[in-house]
Amino acid sequence: MSLSITNSGLPPSTTTSTTSIDPTKNVEPLAVRVMRLSKPALYQNIPVYGEEESSSSVDAFLTGQSHDMAIGDDHSVLSHLLVLPYSFGNVFLGEIFSAIVALHNQSDQILHDVILKTDIQTATQRITLNVTDQIDSNKLELAPDQSISRVLQHEVKELGNHSLVCTVTCTDQNGEKHNLKKVFKLPVGKPIDLKTRFILGATHDEYYIVADIQNQTPTILNMTTVDLEPSPAYTVTNMSNLHHENSENSLCEPWRFIRPTETTTYMFYLKPRKDATFEEIHSTPTLGKLDIVWMSGFGERGRLQTNQLPKPTPSIATTNLGYLPDLRIFCMRGLGQCQVEDSQKFSIRILNCTQRSMDLSLSFDNIFSKREQFLWIGVISKQLGRLEAHHTYDIDIELVPLTCGLKRIGGLKLTDLSMRHTYDFDDFHHLFVLPKIVH
Amino acid sequence: MSSQSIWYAYDPQWALSIRARLNELDVSDLWLFESASSASMPRLILDKYLGNPIRQMTSKKSTENELTYDSLRGDHQTLEALNNFLRQQCWRSAVDWTITYLMKNPSDYHIWFIRFACLIKLRLFQTIESEFETFGNLNSISKLPFSLRLLHAELPIYMDSNHFHDGLDRLFRLLMITNTILSVLPKDQTQLWHRRRLRILYSIANCYILMKRMDLIISILENQIVKNEPVEQQIEIYLLIVRILLQTGDELNAQRAFDRALSLLPSKENLSDGFLLTKELFSLFRNDFSSNKLLTAMKNPIEVNNHCVILLYMSKMKESLDLYEKLIRDKATNIHEAIIFNMCTIYELESFRFTQKKHELVDYISQYVGDGFSLTALKLQT
């Protein structure tokens, strides 16, 4: 912030006349005016092409046009001239609201002890914008018609109603104190609309996170950073830029820009760190958070961070209060494709996610296998034995596909005999069954 | 068909028909003609005089040397009077002059061009479009000035954001015909048409700039235009790329473009105005105002304007206004809509007396500006 004192050219009055502020005028001695200081823009021309050899009038026209300093002899619509913001504009979350406040002494007296306080009032808090200036603590004087100005900045961190509250106090020549409070409403909006979705990876505990970002501001945004900061147990690969041909010589990375109302999709791949422990991987319910930074015209900057993104909820019911299912199964060995009526063996790993040990027995859901048109063969019901907390064991199961097509393989039932609770498992695998070719 | 070839595409059928008339026409009048029957006699739609709104606003009395078209004055009806209006940027007077003339000579296409050129400066786009429609099919008119065809093609891109594609359609069609003409001309007669082709590319680039199609802007500027221009102009184009990138928030690539422009200079001593202005834009981007000082004493009005704008961001409101007041009094040619707009914006911030200050400003500038000046710059509530 900076403060500057201006003098409109009139020497400060040194007379001791007792001219007072005319009460019948009902005019405050100080006026407060605020102007939004979003960054300026470049003036746009309409450069007209003519051929001076075609007629004297065209030559005269081109001469006239060349006196326009914004065009000269140029063919381009974009000049070098800066133009101040045309309107107040929107205030967006994550951006820096910048404004200039001007105080004008509109009375005919010298005003003493002029103090300006500026605050931002949100729905939840009041933030003081002026840091105690050296200048503020001195006795600040304003002569008649004199103005001072101050530039304010505030990083917008919450949504909802914001107001800029300007409070001015001063003392006139009669020793009378004046107070003026002006409140300016600031409309705060969401700059981007973010939609995230999750796709489970091929192996467990791997995730694809897809984020769609829509630009809801009226200006084009340069997304300088869209990163996922993973939870400590995970590593992340940013897959958003893989397909872009980034020629060394190119001066533009157009995929970084989002025009107003357009949406861009970003993708990240998360998998557990190699050195992460079971506890680390399974005890964090979150995957990470998105860090988004953008730039727009002449250095307007914005930044948003999401909350921690939760791991997508599993499809299996849990008996514990956490997010994890009690038991998880993983297909460790088995084909993805086979011929009809060929028996298929699968090796299944069972993981006990709970803190207690289980005593499991295996059975199958016949309705599931009937619907998918395959038959479990071999041992179709047996005791599996004790499974300690956080431990795994592998079992072998076998089936015969009866018809062709893409089949969901699942329908296992594991019963914990100690708790007398049965867990039903949906598909853990897909099998593509081809017809037999008869030679 | 690779994406490169849209810039060079031409139609061999058209080439035959143009080649057939090669001996009948001047090189500059060549075109692809369609049947002559669909041409009609152009006529005026806007036939009321525009007058001089600034003159009407100011309290100063008008003088004898007043540069505003007067239909009753004999000396205002000459071509020299028109040319005088044009040289002084009195677009409204020029338009009014053409009303009288075109009523009597509706097929003088050079004057139609002047009329439309002035109307487009005044942003009266719909009038131009409506009057163009009275021409019928432009491709059936022989000896229509190329610049008039180009203006017709560019018109939609300035109207509003709904018409960009109409503009591109017209411009690409123009490009294709131009390429076809170039394909039939002997090598030593192609200079004019190369110049015209290059200008079409600039117009297309302008459309992309207004559309903010970042993917297309840099590509056309770097790959299609730069190589056809001499080094001084190439530098200007790279500086244009810098401005575009800074205005869309891409500082990194703007710096690379700036470095590329620098690399084209024979020597880094005495950087031109364009470079100095561009450096200031980088400072603005980075909020780095410490080094901000006026580099040339009042010589370059653009530099002074930009300096004044930055002063406001440094909270130096009064210094900014003082410098502006000096600038516009220093030379009449320093008065520009953008500068007046900026001054009026700061007036509104400074004090409640802004209306009075604006009227004083109008009184002053009305003595110097042509009647083409746009009143919206003054931000007056009517």
Side-chain angles (χ1 to χ4, degrees):
Chain A
M1 281 190 300
S2 60
L3 180 72
S4 74
I5 301 176
T6 65
N7 193 323
S8 67
L10 298 172
S13 168
T14 51
T15 62
T16 51
S17 65
T18 52
T19 47
S20 61
I21 295 165
D22 188 343
T24 62
K25 268 196 197 161
N26 201 22
V27 159
E28 295 287 348
L30 278 176
V32 180
R33 309 177 83 81
V34 169
M35 179 183 133
R36 176 81 184 277
L37 266 190
S38 34
K39 290 283 174 88
L42 289 169
Y43 182 80
Q44 281 177 1
N45 305 310
I46 300 180
V48 178
Y49 173 77
E51 290 164 354
E52 58 264 21
E53 57 271 23
S54 55
S55 80
S56 64
S57 302
V58 175
D59 189 39
F61 174 85
L62 291 174
T63 304
Q65 181 176 250
S66 70
H67 291 145
D68 180 339
M69 68 174 77
I71 301 182
D73 295 314
D74 218 2
H75 294 293
S76 155
V77 286
L78 208 60
S79 71
H80 285 272
L81 271 173
L82 287 173
V83 179
L84 288 170
Y86 178 71
S87 66
F88 195 86
N90 307 73
V91 181
F92 289 107
L93 180 66
E95 292 190 334
I96 297 175
F97 168 73
S98 183
I100 181 168
V101 179
L103 291 184
H104 177 235
N105 180 355
Q106 52 190 12
S107 74
D108 49 4
Q109 312 187 359
I110 300 175
L111 297 173
H112 304 277
D113 300 338
V114 179
I115 298 177
L116 168 67
K117 281 192 176 32
T118 48
D119 300 318
I120 294 279
Q121 176 74 52
T122 72
T124 59
Q125 54 182 320
R126 194 180 186 104
I127 304 160
T128 306
L129 289 184
N130 57 335
V131 178
T132 40
D133 268 34
Q134 287 284 10
I135 305 172
D136 261 357
S137 54
N138 293 341
K139 310 286 183 216
L140 187 56
E141 261 187 24
L142 273 187
D145 209 30
Q146 196 179 355
S147 304
I148 56 167
S149 65
R150 173 186 287 163
V151 168
L152 318 162
Q153 291 199 324
H154 170 70
E155 191 174 341
V156 182
K157 294 199 177 116
E158 32 179 312
L159 282 174
N161 293 326
H162 283 57
S163 312
L164 172 65
V165 182
C166 297
T167 318
V168 192
T169 54
C170 65
T171 313
D172 66 22
Q173 275 178 215
N174 300 330
E176 204 182 317
K177 271 203 155 84
H178 295 269
N179 253 330
L180 175 62
K181 181 169 162 182
K182 263 204 145 166
V183 178
F184 301 90
K185 268 189 161 12
L186 304 179
V188 174
K190 263 189 353 174
I192 58 177
D193 185 51
L194 175 65
K195 288 189 170 54
T196 48
R197 50 202 158 95
F198 306 89
I199 302 173
L200 297 177
T203 16
H204 73 282
D205 282 324
E206 289 180 356
Y207 303 90
Y208 292 94
I209 297 178
V210 180
D212 290 324
I213 298 182
Q214 186 190 36
N215 177 359
Q216 298 193 322
T217 74
T219 52
I220 187 170
L221 299 180
N222 176 20
M223 311 304 288
T224 51
T225 303
V226 179
D227 278 344
L228 182 69
E229 279 171 30
S231 295
Y234 289 87
T235 62
V236 66
T237 310
N238 188 337
M239 306 188 75
S240 308
N241 298 328
L242 293 179
H243 65 286
H244 294 127
E245 316 104 44
N246 194 1
S247 129
E248 292 284 303
N249 274 328
S250 165
L251 280 175
C252 192
E253 297 158 300
W255 60 86
R256 287 198 193 280
F257 295 98
I258 312 183
R259 295 190 299 170
T261 75
E262 287 186 345
T263 305
T264 298
T265 302
Y266 300 84
M267 187 150 111
F268 305 91
Y269 172 58
L270 273 183
K271 68 176 188 197
R273 276 190 0 250
K274 281 197 162 56
D275 57 344
T277 66
F278 180 94
E279 247 84 39
E280 280 177 330
I281 299 172
H282 292 284
S283 60
T284 37
T286 58
L287 293 173
K289 58 183 176 156
L290 281 169
D291 187 22
I292 304 169
V293 182
W294 66 88
M295 288 284 226
S296 59
F298 286 110
E300 295 273 26
R301 193 174 164 281
R303 184 174 189 176
L304 281 180
Q305 284 191 328
T306 64
N307 292 328
Q308 286 283 344
L309 301 169
K311 279 190 190 173
T313 48
S315 51
I316 302 168
T318 79
T319 56
N320 56 8
L321 293 170
Y323 78 101
L324 269 178
D326 293 354
L327 283 173
R328 292 177 72 183
I329 61 174
F330 312 100
C331 182
M332 301 306 289
R333 263 197 316 281
L335 294 178
Q337 181 179 299
C338 67
Q339 289 189 332
V340 70
E341 291 174 0
D342 276 356
S343 69
Q344 299 299 313
K345 282 204 174 72
F346 295 96
S347 177
I348 304 297
R349 177 160 296 173
I350 303 172
L351 165 66
N352 177 0
C353 300
T354 68
Q355 306 276 42
R356 60 177 199 279
S357 66
M358 293 184 173
D359 192 10
L360 294 175
S361 92
L362 169 71
S363 58
F364 292 101
D365 178 352
N366 292 322
I367 300 171
F368 190 111
S369 51
K370 189 166 177 184
R371 184 183 68 229
E372 293 293 322
Q373 298 269 291
F374 63 83
L375 210 56
W376 293 108
I377 58 175
V379 177
I380 57 173
S381 136
K382 72 175 192 180
Q383 307 270 58
L384 298 176
R386 189 185 171 85
L387 181 58
E388 301 295 337
H390 296 175
H391 279 62
T392 69
Y393 53 43
D394 291 358
I395 58 170
D396 290 328
I397 53 181
E398 201 173 346
L399 61 83
V400 172
L402 300 174
T403 58
C404 299
L406 184 64
K407 295 187 186 308
R408 298 162 55 202
I409 305 300
L412 256 68
K413 291 154 95 82
L414 290 171
T415 304
D416 181 8
L417 298 168
S418 46
M419 299 289 280
R420 298 209 188 112
H421 183 97
T422 302
Y423 297 91
D424 293 294
F425 290 91
D426 221 347
D427 25 329
F428 56 85
H429 189 61
H430 284 86
L431 188 62
F432 188 47
V433 183
L434 295 162
K436 271 199 172 59
I437 308 292
V438 177
H439 294 288
Chain B
M1 212 163 141
S2 81
S3 63
Q4 285 292 87
S5 62
I6 56 166
W7 306 111
Y8 298 101
Y10 72 95
D11 188 317
Q13 284 295 99
W14 294 353
L16 290 177
S17 118
I18 293 172
R19 199 190 300 270
R21 302 191 65 181
L22 211 49
N23 293 323
E24 298 168 23
L25 295 164
D26 284 340
V27 170
S28 84
D29 289 332
L30 287 172
W31 199 246
L32 177 71
F33 295 110
E34 297 167 18
S35 67
S37 56
S38 44
S40 50
M41 189 53 73
R43 64 186 169 78
L44 295 165
I45 307 250
L46 174 68
D47 53 6
K48 294 194 175 31
Y49 295 122
L50 294 172
N52 187 345
I54 279 214
R55 175 58 54 215
Q56 285 155 31
M57 281 189 58
T58 184
S59 47
K60 293 222 155 91
K61 298 275 184 262
S62 56
T63 64
E64 272 304 309
N65 300 327
E66 199 44 44
L67 208 55
T68 301
Y69 177 72
D70 184 346
S71 57
L72 301 173
R73 281 175 64 160
D75 59 338
H76 274 194
Q77 312 311 318
T78 63
L79 195 65
E80 191 45 44
L82 172 68
N83 293 350
N84 221 16
F85 292 138
L86 293 171
R87 279 188 282 264
Q88 309 288 334
Q89 298 186 52
C90 294
W91 313 133
R92 287 190 172 85
S93 290
V95 169
D96 290 349
W97 188 100
T98 65
I99 295 179
T100 321
Y101 182 87
L102 287 171
M103 294 232 220
K104 298 190 209 118
N105 308 286
S107 51
D108 188 337
Y109 295 109
H110 287 279
I111 298 298
W112 276 107
F113 169 71
I114 294 294
R115 176 180 172 79
F116 291 158
C118 296
L119 283 173
I120 208 171
K121 287 293 194 190
L122 295 170
R123 311 187 78 90
L124 294 170
F125 308 121
Q126 194 50 58
T127 305
I128 307 174
E129 186 73 18
S130 308
E131 290 185 358
F132 258 129
E133 275 167 26
T134 67
F135 283 46
N137 183 347
L138 295 185
N139 289 328
S140 53
I141 306 172
S142 68
K143 303 209 184 205
L144 199 69
F146 174 82
S147 49
L148 192 58
R149 297 191 197 275
L150 181 67
L151 195 150
H152 174 254
E154 290 180 325
L155 181 62
I157 72 182
Y158 296 114
M159 282 177 121
D160 57 48
S161 54
N162 295 326
H163 292 96
F164 289 130
H165 287 284
D166 290 333
L168 287 175
D169 283 346
R170 293 182 186 181
L171 285 167
F172 274 103
R173 183 155 210 278
L174 238 64
L175 180 63
M176 191 129 151
I177 298 177
T178 303
N179 286 339
T180 311
I181 291 174
L182 280 167
S183 74
V184 308
L185 283 174
K187 288 279 179 293
D188 58 340
Q189 293 180 34
T190 55
Q191 196 186 13
L192 174 65
W193 282 97
H194 272 302
R195 180 176 148 210
R196 290 174 173 180
R197 180 178 176 276
L198 194 57
R199 173 56 201 226
I200 297 174
L201 294 177
Y202 273 109
S203 303
I204 294 174
N206 284 338
C207 184
Y208 290 155
I209 291 172
L210 294 173
M211 291 169 85
K212 298 188 170 41
R213 284 293 302 265
M214 303 310 294
D215 50 336
L216 299 172
I217 298 170
I218 311 288
S219 166
I220 189 179
L221 286 173
E222 258 208 302
N223 300 332
Q224 301 306 323
I225 295 180
V226 152
K227 59 190 181 192
N228 289 316
E229 291 279 40
V231 172
E232 309 82 53
Q233 186 58 14
Q234 290 185 7
I235 291 174
E236 292 308 310
I237 293 171
Y238 280 110
L239 292 181
L240 170 65
I241 293 176
V242 174
R243 294 202 296 286
I244 294 168
L245 289 171
L246 285 178
Q247 194 167 249
T248 45
D250 188 352
E251 188 197 350
L252 184 71
N253 286 312
Q255 185 64 57
R256 292 173 65 210
F258 187 78
D259 293 339
R260 210 167 279 191
L262 273 179
S263 72
L264 289 172
L265 282 175
S267 97
K268 310 272 184 292
E269 316 271 305
N270 287 329
L271 292 181
S272 73
D273 281 352
F275 277 97
L276 299 175
L277 287 172
T278 310
K279 273 186 150 184
E280 277 234 319
L281 295 180
F282 275 102
S283 301
L284 173 68
F285 193 104
R286 295 162 182 157
N287 290 324
D288 170 23
F289 301 136
S290 52
S291 55
N292 179 253
K293 54 182 185 297
L294 205 49
L295 294 159
T296 64
M298 299 292 280
K299 262 197 329 204
N300 183 343
I302 302 181
E303 191 204 338
V304 179
N305 170 73
N306 291 0
H307 181 78
C308 288
V309 166
I310 291 177
L311 279 175
L312 192 68
Y313 287 80
M314 297 164 74
S315 194
K316 299 200 167 141
M317 180 175 66
K318 202 60 176 66
E319 283 99 320
S320 179
L321 263 185
D322 286 345
L323 201 52
Y324 265 132
E325 302 279 3
K326 260 202 243 145
L327 174 68
I328 60 169
R329 283 169 177 82
D330 190 47
K331 260 199 291 209
T333 51
N334 287 345
I335 303 172
H336 187 277
E337 282 170 23
I339 289 173
I340 299 303
F341 176 85
N342 289 341
M343 288 179 73
C344 290
T345 303
I346 306 178
Y347 283 161
E348 288 177 358
L349 172 67
E350 194 208 16
S351 83
F352 66 96
R353 293 199 289 109
F354 59 85
T355 312
Q356 175 199 346
K357 288 195 168 189
K358 286 185 191 179
H359 280 288
E360 285 166 9
L361 188 60
V362 172
D363 282 349
Y364 173 71
I365 66 176
S366 61
Q367 304 165 65
Y368 304 105
V369 297
D371 60 27
F373 191 88
S374 165
L375 284 181
T376 55
L378 290 159
K379 303 173 75 176
L380 293 162
Q381 276 105 20
T382 43

